[in-house]
Amino acid sequence: MKPNLQIQFGIALLRVSLGLMFIAHSVVLKYFVYTLPGTAAFFESIGLPGWLAYVVFWMEAVGGVLLVLGVQVRLAAAALIPVLIGATAAHSGNGWVFSNANGGWEYPLYLTVLAAAQVLLGEGACSLSGKMRSASFAVHKTACA
């Protein structure tokens, strides 16, 4: 495999795994486990408005899908950084390790760094945006194009 192709697949791996994490965190955790009203109650318990839980849920769900599909990757990742900074702040009093009661702050901080890296790196291989560009402008094709 050519080095550039390896890099593009590495970026795609980051993109898809980050997107799946956001989908799981929003749909599985917030919707099915805690429920949206329960998540809103948690937001209120830490001093945030309850309606913000619904905004965060949709941002994570839609942003996660966009990342997995490879559509508007830089914009989606950038839009999720404030959510992750908020999560880091919300967990900051719980200690470093996320296995602490109510979760620590290292995992949301790590995800913030991954989202920032995705903003810098772009979409990588196997993205819908790349396929649309390849079809329209006959630019570089990867193994997924």
Side-chain angles (χ1 to χ4, degrees), residues 60-136:
E60 289 179 347
V62 172
V65 169
L66 290 173
L67 287 171
V68 169
L69 296 177
V71 176
Q72 296 294 321
V73 169
R74 285 189 162 105
L75 180 62
L80 290 165
I81 289 174
V83 172
L84 293 167
I85 290 170
T88 304
H91 292 285
S92 64
N94 302 336
W96 167 255
V97 181
F98 207 67
S99 60
N100 286 346
N102 298 317
W105 54 271
E106 99 286 355
Y107 185 60
L109 179 62
Y110 177 65
L111 293 173
T112 305
V113 172
L114 293 181
Q118 194 72 66
V119 170
L120 295 171
L121 294 169
E123 64 203 25
C126 305
S127 69
L128 286 182
S129 292
K131 286 184 180 198
M132 288 183 275
R133 267 195 314 279
S134 293
S136 300

Side-chain angles (χ1 to χ4, degrees), residues 3-115:
N4 186 46
L5 197 55
Q6 289 175 321
I7 292 168
Q8 292 304 310
F9 277 107
I11 295 168
L13 182 61
L14 170 65
R15 183 192 84 233
V16 171
S17 62
L18 188 61
L20 289 173
M21 185 287 309
F22 275 113
I23 293 167
H25 198 260
S26 61
V27 176
V28 175
L29 188 67
K30 286 182 174 75
Y31 187 81
F32 288 114
V33 175
Y34 295 121
T35 73
L36 292 177
T39 303
F42 171 74
F43 273 48
E44 290 171 349
S45 77
I46 61 171
L48 297 170
W51 59 264
L52 188 57
Y54 296 90
V55 173
V56 168
F57 166 79
W58 282 109
M59 285 183 71
E60 289 179 347
V62 172
V65 169
L66 290 173
L67 287 171
V68 169
L69 296 177
V71 176
Q72 296 294 321
V73 169
R74 285 189 162 105
L75 180 62
L80 290 165
I81 289 174
V83 172
L84 293 167
I85 290 170
T88 304
H91 292 285
S92 64
N94 302 336
W96 167 255
V97 181
F98 207 67
S99 60
N100 286 346
N102 298 317
W105 54 271
E106 99 286 355
Y107 185 60
L109 179 62
Y110 177 65
L111 293 173
T112 305
V113 172
L114 293 181

